[in-house]
Amino acid sequence: MIRIAIAEDDPQCFAQLERYVSDYGKETGRAFHITHYDNGEDLVERYKPEIDLILMDVEMPFMDGMTAAGYVREKDPEVVIVFVTNLAQYAIQGYSVNALDYILKPVNYFSFSQRLGRALQYVKKREDACITVAVKGGAVKLEVEGIYYIERLGRQLMFHTRSGIHASTATLQQVEEALEGKGFARCNKGYLVNLEHVDGIQDGCAMVRGDKLLISRGRRGPFLEALTDWVGGVAP
């Protein structure tokens, strides 16, 4: 299911966008979950990085869409943002917050469906490049390429990444399934390793960004085989 946030203070405009999304879903067989925010301040205060796409009105009370988008970007660099506005000049300003596109008001369905389709292509690309993991109080998106390894520590998972260490309430099995086919392998029952970041094998351990991760006897064969395939350009 694709999660869409619509930030729009005009009830009629929101109802129209909601109806267009529903119609698009019926035409394409896609499922959408829509969350409504009636001003930019509300969006910023309640936002969690679980949204795939934001349809953002520019002119809203309390906080305009451009300002709100800037705050959202600090929380979620990956979410796709499309502005909905009656002024084309805002399209240029949108680059400052890495907006994908803009839709001019009054919105007609043909134009909307084309831009929504384009936005969803980017959502799909970002889904392939990122993983959303459960953390205390919500969720966080992590770039798959930036994950070094995942460590099971008690009842938590510790994601060792380029941006630091993130604690998650997910299970290692859940994460392993989500990362299937993306170049990860277990070196023992407590570590899931991004093969891209394995610098070598030393003293029975995988060297990952300076950390030594023990390779268990039972997983040595499959892990080394997966590493060899990855280095050779074949996904495990």
Side-chain angles (χ1 to χ4, degrees):
M1 179 174 289
I2 298 167
R3 295 152 298 185
I4 297 179
I6 300 179
E8 172 61 70
D9 64 304
D10 186 322
Q12 291 185 335
C13 289
F14 167 72
Q16 182 187 49
L17 293 174
E18 186 180 39
R19 185 173 68 253
Y20 282 175
V21 171
S22 177
D23 291 344
Y24 186 88
K26 292 175 183 177
E27 290 179 1
T28 61
R30 296 181 187 232
F32 299 98
H33 178 271
I34 296 174
T35 304
H36 180 215
Y37 302 90
D38 57 14
N39 62 74
E41 189 175 70
D42 185 36
L43 171 65
V44 171
E45 288 180 353
R46 294 168 49 198
Y47 187 83
K48 294 180 181 180
E50 303 168 342
I51 301 296
D52 299 305
L53 168 65
I54 301 175
L55 299 177
M56 179 88 78
D57 184 21
V58 174
E59 297 179 295
M60 292 185 289
F62 306 114
M63 183 184 293
D64 66 84
M66 285 292 170
T67 303
Y71 283 113
V72 166
R73 273 283 172 254
E74 293 177 3
K75 296 182 178 181
D76 189 351
E78 302 301 324
V79 66
V80 176
I81 298 175
V82 174
F83 285 111
V84 184
T85 177
N86 54 11
L87 296 174
Q89 69 193 54
Y90 284 119
I92 298 175
Q93 294 183 35
Y95 288 116
S96 65
V97 291
N98 195 27
L100 171 68
D101 205 348
Y102 70 99
I103 300 172
L104 279 178
K105 294 180 178 181
V107 182
N108 67 76
Y109 180 72
F110 178 75
S111 175
F112 177 86
S113 62
Q114 285 189 318
R115 281 170 161 75
L116 181 60
R118 178 170 179 257
L120 294 178
Q121 289 179 351
Y122 277 80
V123 168
K124 180 63 168 61
K125 290 179 181 179
R126 291 177 184 269
E127 283 181 347
D128 292 340
C130 298
I131 180 175
T132 301
V133 299
V135 297
K136 187 176 181 180
V140 65
K141 288 181 185 176
L142 299 174
E143 289 186 355
V144 171
E145 191 274 334
I147 299 172
Y148 301 150
Y149 64 92
I150 299 118
E151 174 188 13
R152 183 166 60 195
L153 195 62
R155 295 184 177 181
Q156 286 189 315
L157 295 185
M158 309 304 291
F159 283 74
H160 297 256
T161 76
R162 184 182 293 121
S163 60
I165 300 175
H166 302 270
S168 172
T169 56
T171 68
L172 195 57
Q173 182 177 350
Q174 289 172 332
V175 173
E176 188 172 22
E177 290 173 357
L179 292 171
E180 185 176 359
K182 298 182 185 293
F184 285 75
R186 288 205 203 194
C187 63
N188 61 54
K189 65 180 182 180
Y191 289 97
L192 183 63
V193 179
N194 187 341
L195 300 172
E196 181 71 23
H197 296 292
V198 177
D199 299 319
I201 306 297
Q202 181 180 329
D203 301 325
C205 296
M207 303 300 299
V208 183
R209 295 286 173 165
D211 293 336
K212 297 177 69 173
L213 309 182
L214 180 66
I215 304 173
S216 67
R217 182 177 300 177
R219 294 193 181 264
R220 181 174 179 81
F223 181 79
L224 293 180
E225 182 179 354
L227 181 60
T228 300
D229 288 344
W230 181 258
V231 172
V234 181

